[in-house]
Amino acid sequence: MQHIEIEFKNLLTKEEYERLLAHFNIAPSQIIPQANHYFETPKGHLKQAMSGLRIRQIDNYFECTLKEKSSEHGHLETNVEITKQQAEEVLATGHFPFPEITTRLEIIGVPVDELSLFGSLQTDRAEVPYEDGLLVLDRSNYLQRVDYEVEYEASNEQLGAVSFQKLLEAHNIP
């Protein structure tokens, strides 16, 4: 499945993250853990193509996603729902048996036979409707680091930019 994702992101401090959780009345039960595993070639072909490739696990749901930059805040996303066994095989071998993904990779010049696992992170994610889109609050752990981020997914890039900027300003977030 393919679609255009329009998203705006901003890093947060721990305090800003906690303030937004409280402001939007997000309960601990609304925060869902997920694992994200990212792939790249030794020469950084995906980065050069301003793209990203990952496998995401949420509970027993697995998805392979290729994101290709399409505008300042937009990405063409190709998503394939996969099984746990397929995910484990890709993580172990770097071989992607998904034609929807490999065809797009070949189009953007990524040698699929050179892909390998680049890194993984654990994210605790909360999602709430906001304005005409979706507000996402992430707490991510990787390499003994913790990062906090707010993301706003919108259906219109111009209107989304205005809504996101208003949100940041209303909560004194640079």
Side-chain angles (χ1 to χ4, degrees):
M1 176 178 81
Q2 285 187 320
H3 70 279
I4 297 290
E5 178 186 62
I6 299 167
E7 63 184 2
F8 302 85
K9 295 182 175 193
N10 200 79
L11 287 175
L12 300 171
T13 64
K14 181 180 181 184
E15 293 75 22
E16 291 164 342
Y17 170 81
E18 290 173 349
R19 233 177 31 239
L20 288 174
L21 286 176
H23 177 80
F24 288 100
N25 298 312
I26 297 171
S29 62
Q30 292 175 271
I31 300 173
I32 307 298
Q34 59 181 248
N36 296 282
H37 308 283
Y38 293 91
F39 295 82
E40 181 58 278
T41 67
K43 293 184 179 176
H45 287 89
L46 282 159
K47 184 176 180 182
Q48 291 171 25
M50 295 187 296
S51 298
L53 179 63
R54 73 165 181 246
I55 289 181
R56 173 173 285 165
Q57 176 187 1
I58 304 171
D59 291 326
N60 292 316
Y61 174 81
F62 296 83
E63 182 178 71
C64 182
T65 300
L66 172 64
K67 283 190 176 189
E68 301 170 63
K69 189 111 171 128
S70 61
S71 68
E72 183 180 358
H73 296 283
H75 296 88
L76 172 63
E77 273 196 12
T78 304
N79 299 296
V80 179
E81 186 175 341
I82 62 176
T83 66
K84 179 180 181 180
Q85 182 179 350
Q86 288 173 313
E88 289 171 348
E89 183 178 315
V90 172
L91 290 169
T93 66
H95 173 72
F96 286 79
F98 319 118
E100 306 92 324
I101 299 290
T102 56
T103 299
R104 293 297 313 165
L105 288 168
E106 290 167 358
I107 289 170
I108 63 173
V110 175
V112 295
D113 58 333
E114 294 181 23
L115 290 165
S116 63
L117 181 62
F118 175 76
S120 299
L121 61 88
Q122 294 295 125
T123 299
D124 295 324
R125 172 167 282 189
E127 299 179 345
V128 293
Y130 178 73
E131 304 265 322
D132 290 326
L134 183 69
L135 189 68
V136 179
L137 296 173
D138 284 344
R139 177 186 183 275
S140 297
N141 295 291
Y142 61 97
L143 302 174
Q144 288 74 47
R145 273 190 75 159
V146 178
D147 274 350
Y148 302 90
E149 182 180 70
V150 60
E151 177 181 316
Y152 178 58
E153 295 180 13
S155 56
N156 177 289
E157 196 162 340
Q158 291 74 28
L159 296 176
V162 171
S163 293
F164 190 62
Q165 189 60 42
K166 283 183 182 177
L167 171 80
L168 296 177
E169 289 172 3
H171 294 277
N172 298 312
I173 299 171

